[in-house]
Every structure is written in C-alpha cells, then in structure tokens.
Amino acid sequence: KAQAALATAEQLVEQLADKISPELLMEVAKSQLKLGQKGKACSLLGTVIKNNHENAALVAQIEAVFAAENLVQEGQALVKVSRQEVIDINNRGVTLAKQGDFTQGVKLLRSALKQLPSSEAVIINLAGLLIGQMGKEGYNDALGAEALALLTRVHEINSANKKYYAYTAVLTRLQRG
C-alpha cells in the first residue's frame, strides 16, 4: 500500500512540480527514503535545494531529513553540490552580461529557469539581464512583459527582495523611454 501511495505522490510531483510546496516535496522524499529509494529522494531534495538555495531554514530542514535516516554526510554533500550548481549558473549569466553578451546570458538563465522554476535568484537575475539588454538595445515590448512577469514572481516569492524594487524602477523608466 505504501509503495502504491508513494507512486501516486510521485506522479503528482512530476505533473505539478513547481506548484507543490517545498514542505510537501520533503514529505514525499521522506517516504522515498523510508521505502529504500534514496536515489529518488536525493534527486527530489536536490531540486528543492536548487529552487530555494538561499533559504537557510528550509535547507536545515532538508539536512534534518537526512540526519533522521543516518545520512548526514550525504545530506551535506547534496546541499553543497545543489547550491553550487545554482550559484555557478547565476555567475555565468552575470559574467556574460558584464561582458555585454546579454543575449547569451538571457539564454542561459532562461534554460536554468526551466529546471528551477522557483529559484528566486535565477528569476531576479534573468529579469535583471532582460532589463540590461533593453538598456543597451532599447525597450522591447516582449522583453518588457517577460521582465515584468519575472519581477511579479519574485515579489510573490519574497516581497522584501531589494533587487525587485530597483529593477522595477529601471523597467518603468525604460518603458517611458
């Protein structure tokens, strides 16, 4: 029964990935660990970390999940690798932008966003690159709408995000010409 219930939960996770809370995803991962599916649990928790790599409380909860299963080292390694992956992607995108290659930076972060749809860092940095590109090339309705949608998502995730306010002001100036 437990295996069948877990299979159903896993299907829902796959279908609704970015609409499921990190806490619920952790519960699915706990069940996977209890039923001997460490690889699946690590994959799922790795995704949760990547999408929330700056959320220290959530990362601590994930480390506690591993600790409860006597997998402290695996948990710490997963956290480190997952966080670093997001940081590396962001840094590459920002480096490309600093070199003036907004197009490639945007392409890279759009790709990252498909894998990490809830990552506040990826979302805000993509918005920043789009705004930077428009600052260089002129305002573009499609890019402006995309940047605004990204800024709205960031504000929903974290209304205190400092870059949100700065980028919103720059976007508004660009729109007005």
Side-chain angles (χ1 to χ4, degrees):
K1 284 184 178 181
Q3 289 283 9
L6 181 58
T8 301
E10 289 170 345
Q11 283 180 324
L12 288 171
V13 165
E14 206 169 298
Q15 292 169 0
L16 305 171
D18 61 330
K19 294 173 180 60
I20 298 177
S21 73
E23 293 76 18
L24 187 54
L25 293 173
M26 280 193 293
E27 290 303 319
V28 172
K30 285 180 190 176
S31 298
Q32 290 170 325
L33 286 169
K34 295 263 187 250
L35 294 172
Q37 298 177 6
K38 186 168 98 172
K40 284 184 175 182
C42 286
S43 177
L44 184 57
L45 291 173
T47 300
V48 173
I49 294 164
K50 290 174 195 172
N51 275 303
N52 302 281
H53 78 283
E54 295 175 324
N55 184 334
L58 186 63
V59 170
Q61 290 174 353
I62 290 170
E63 288 175 333
V65 168
F66 282 100
E69 297 296 321
N70 293 317
L71 298 169
V72 172
Q73 289 181 321
E74 285 97 329
Q76 290 172 342
L78 181 67
V79 167
K80 183 178 179 182
V81 167
S82 299
R83 279 182 159 167
Q84 195 60 50
E85 189 177 322
V86 176
I87 290 166
D88 290 346
I89 291 168
N90 266 314
N91 289 345
R92 284 197 311 268
V94 171
T95 298
L96 286 166
K98 285 181 180 176
Q99 295 169 347
D101 193 351
F102 289 100
T103 304
Q104 285 305 313
V106 165
K107 186 177 177 182
L108 176 69
L109 290 187
R110 278 182 180 148
S111 175
L113 189 59
K114 286 179 185 165
Q115 296 171 12
L116 308 168
S118 303
S119 172
E120 180 182 348
V122 173
I123 296 167
I124 196 69
N125 286 334
L126 177 54
L129 291 182
L130 291 168
I131 291 166
Q133 183 175 351
M134 288 185 289
K136 181 179 174 185
E137 300 170 0
Y139 185 78
N140 171 305
D141 286 336
L143 295 180
E146 183 180 357
L148 183 60
L150 291 165
L151 290 170
T152 301
R153 281 175 61 193
V154 165
H155 193 63
E156 290 168 357
I157 293 169
N158 176 9
S159 61
N161 186 302
K162 291 179 176 118
K163 287 183 180 179
Y164 165 82
Y165 296 101
Y167 288 169
T168 300
V170 174
L171 182 60
T172 301
R173 281 197 302 274
L174 286 169
Q175 283 175 312
R176 293 182 182 150

